[in-house]
Amino acid sequence: MDGQERRSIIHVDMDAFFASVEQLDNPALRGRPVIVGGSPRARGVVSTASYEARRFGVRSAMPTGRALALCPSAVLLTPRMQRYVDISKQVRRVLRDYTDLIEPVSLDEAFLDVTAAVDRTGRTATVMAREIKDRVARETGLTASVGVAPNKLLAKLASDLKKPDGFVVLDEAAAERLLPEMPVRQLWGIGAKTELSLHRIGVFTIGDLRRMDEGLLSRLFGRRAEELALLARGIDHRPVEPRQEVKSVGAETTFPDDVRDRERLAAAIGGFADEVADRLREHRLLARTVTVKVRLADFTNLTRSQTLQSPTDEEDVLRAAAVILLERAVPGGRPVRLIGLAVSNFLRPGDYYQAGLPF
Ligand SMILES: [Mg+2]
């Protein structure tokens, strides 16, 4: 197919993970709507809702206040990250018996490339995936949905098809039957915003996307157009990457006037700390390095970085570090044109497993 060697990819996705762990640990919660998330008073959002709560329309990333309005009988619980990390490690140990090529997407989700293991053992990916699913259930007491396919895109679609407790093998022929009818949102990289712009031009399904004129596609998606056209045909060359590349998360602003006032600078930095912390939590990342960037009125750029003692996603910690860095970065009283805050050097879900670090 498409000049690529054949691969065997498995996608393992724990069902309603945080909520399921809570129901596992507290039998009184089983069969009841459970929401794991932040307090509505602190403008918290839903991390995970149990399937009982999803029936009321509760979804991940929804403000907790709205979730409780939809489902007043739900039990709201604060996340116990350490417990989820521990179970995640248990799952990871099972996965590692099959391959080292594991790409954790989040604490509850991972891709495995078992191509070499299939060659080595003569067992099929389907047999291994079934065994993984059974072992995860036996060893953790929790269900996972598992998809098997020749690439990541199809493996993820497969694990999604029969959630919860699903097991779906999707070969190219099956994918070819299913893909054209699926909503465009199912394609990797199509978020809510892109979905909306596609809907506006009458593109609702992956089949619609396939029929789109090439020129229009590239006007809408630029360099991504070609990849998207391939994905729409079920072709995905992305490798399973045991480590994701390091990125940074940041925010910056250019002032309408040059600012000398320390309090105004500190206030701006404080606002960035909130924003950056939100985004870290959203991506379930912890950052080790904090960097403050300053551009003076004369366009001199200055940066100061600090590596924290323990990785964090807390605004207070970021703010404290950033304010000190700001003091160091800006020589007294010089007018500032732009300031920014960035964090990097992330601890990823994959590292939690490896290092066994507490949050
Ligand atoms: Mg999941």
Side-chain angles (χ1 to χ4, degrees):
M1 51 164 287
D2 204 55
Q4 280 278 306
E5 63 181 290
R6 237 200 120 68
R7 293 185 296 158
S8 298
I9 310 296
I10 299 173
H11 183 247
V12 178
D13 187 358
M14 302 300 291
D15 300 316
F17 185 50
F18 296 177
S20 300
V21 173
E22 297 303 334
Q23 290 175 321
L24 175 76
D25 289 351
N26 181 358
L29 296 174
R30 293 180 199 165
R32 295 184 58 189
V34 171
I35 295 172
V36 178
S39 157
R41 271 166 300 157
R43 289 184 299 150
V45 296
V46 175
S47 285
T48 314
S50 71
Y51 281 89
E52 294 85 357
R54 291 181 197 196
R55 259 175 240 132
F56 292 83
V58 178
R59 295 285 178 269
S60 295
M62 175 182 278
T64 307
R66 178 162 150 66
L68 290 173
L70 288 168
C71 183
S73 62
V75 180
L76 174 64
L77 299 168
T78 307
R80 293 182 300 147
M81 291 312 289
Q82 187 55 56
R83 176 72 176 133
Y84 312 146
V85 169
D86 288 343
I87 297 199
S88 190
K89 278 191 231 164
Q90 252 182 300
V91 173
R92 169 72 170 236
R93 277 194 290 274
V94 172
L95 303 185
R96 241 194 256 125
D97 283 344
Y98 298 83
T99 179
D100 292 326
L101 266 182
I102 300 169
E103 178 180 330
V105 180
S106 59
L107 281 180
D108 69 321
E109 201 185 315
F111 288 104
L112 288 75
D113 185 332
V114 294
T115 311
V118 168
D119 290 345
R120 198 176 58 241
T121 63
R123 304 169 75 213
T124 65
T126 305
V127 166
M128 284 188 246
R130 186 84 238 176
E131 198 175 285
I132 287 169
K133 182 173 164 59
D134 293 343
R135 281 187 58 193
V136 166
R138 209 163 49 236
E139 294 178 27
T140 68
L142 297 169
T143 62
S145 290
V146 175
V148 187
N151 62 46
K152 282 163 80 172
L153 170 75
L154 297 180
K156 185 160 169 72
L157 289 180
S159 74
D160 254 0
L161 278 175
K162 302 235 166 104
K163 260 186 158 302
D165 206 13
F167 184 84
V168 174
V169 180
L170 206 54
D171 60 15
E172 276 109 342
E176 196 39 49
R177 283 193 300 277
L178 284 167
L179 275 176
E181 297 307 315
M182 283 186 165
V184 278
R185 183 67 187 269
Q186 294 283 334
L187 285 186
W188 174 75
I190 296 197
K193 241 168 130 181
T194 312
E195 182 186 36
L196 199 67
S197 44
L198 285 171
H199 284 181
R200 279 206 202 98
I201 56 168
V203 174
F204 295 93
T205 64
I206 292 173
D208 294 338
L209 189 71
R210 286 186 189 182
R211 286 185 291 274
M212 262 177 82
D213 173 70
E214 227 176 274
L216 179 58
L217 201 62
S218 69
R219 271 206 301 287
L220 273 179
F221 295 100
R223 273 178 299 168
R224 282 210 58 220
E226 200 181 329
E227 181 183 38
L228 214 54
L230 287 176
L231 290 174
R233 285 156 53 210
I235 299 166
D236 177 8
H237 298 314
R238 287 173 298 155
V240 169
E241 292 176 296
R243 293 270 179 157
Q244 292 155 350
E245 84 270 32
V246 177
K247 283 183 246 149
S248 78
V249 170
E252 62 176 48
T253 193
T254 303
F255 295 113
D257 52 323
D258 296 336
V259 175
R260 289 170 197 269
D261 179 21
R262 301 305 253 205
E263 298 211 350
R264 226 177 116 195
L265 294 175
I269 281 283
F272 296 153
D274 291 345
E275 191 181 327
V276 166
D278 270 348
R279 278 165 59 199
L280 284 173
R281 287 190 292 263
E282 194 179 302
H283 295 290
R284 299 201 177 144
L285 292 170
L286 301 176
R288 297 188 185 92
T289 302
V290 182
T291 302
V292 166
K293 169 173 128 183
V294 174
R295 183 171 301 150
L296 298 177
D298 63 3
F299 283 85
T300 312
N301 290 317
L302 305 162
T303 59
R304 292 289 181 278
S305 292
Q306 189 203 337
T307 296
L308 302 168
Q309 275 185 337
S310 52
T312 191
D313 63 359
E314 288 173 45
E315 44 271 71
D316 293 348
V317 176
L318 295 179
R319 192 181 303 114
V323 166
I324 293 169
L325 289 170
L326 178 68
E327 287 297 316
R328 276 196 235 146
V330 187
R334 306 238 343 238
V336 171
R337 179 184 170 80
L338 171 152
I339 59 171
L341 172 67
V343 295
S344 56
N345 196 2
F346 297 133
L347 188 69
R348 296 174 182 282
D351 302 323
Y352 308 145
Y353 302 111
Q354 272 149 14
L357 286 166
F359 274 73

